[in-house]
Amino acid sequence: MIKMPIPDFRPLDERVDDRLNELLQRALARDVGKRYASGEELLYDLEHYIYHSGYGPTNETLGKYIRDLFGPAVPPAALASPKTGTMILDPAARKTRS
């Protein structure tokens, strides 16, 4: 079974189109170099597939977009003191404040 080729999923289920079949082939590729490097990369491609099939963006897609725009760090404005009306809910975030 380990050496058997990954099947073409289109004949197995009529709902599987060419693009979804490509995603499945890449996710299950035997060659590690051809496989997704991370679950996040697979998640992004799956969400992109769903989004372009008529569904709206998800929290994961929106989160990736925001991280791509601003980076993974919490912006200083989000760490403002409670005097400005912004409350920090995560005490660990206060430690990164400069």
Side-chain angles (χ1 to χ4, degrees):
M1 182 158 232
I2 292 175
K3 298 193 186 241
M4 292 175 61
I6 305 300
D8 181 343
F9 294 95
R10 293 170 291 190
L12 302 174
D13 190 322
E14 64 185 30
R15 296 171 296 176
V16 178
D17 61 14
D18 292 341
R19 180 65 183 137
L20 181 55
N21 191 59
E22 289 172 14
L23 297 175
L24 292 169
Q25 294 294 320
R26 185 173 174 197
L28 299 170
R30 304 248 189 255
D31 181 347
V32 176
K34 294 180 181 178
R35 207 178 302 153
Y36 283 98
S38 68
E40 183 180 6
E41 189 179 347
L42 171 59
L43 175 63
Y44 182 79
D45 277 358
L46 286 171
E47 287 193 347
H48 188 267
Y49 171 79
I50 292 168
Y51 176 73
H52 282 82
S53 296
Y55 295 94
T58 65
N59 289 340
E60 292 297 325
T61 304
L62 180 59
K64 182 178 183 331
Y65 176 73
I66 296 298
R67 286 189 303 279
D68 287 347
L69 279 178
F70 301 109
V74 178
L79 298 174
S81 71
K83 294 177 187 173
T84 63
T86 302
M87 291 181 54
I88 300 171
L89 299 178
D90 182 3
R94 192 178 298 276
K95 293 178 184 175
T96 62
R97 193 173 171 187
S98 49

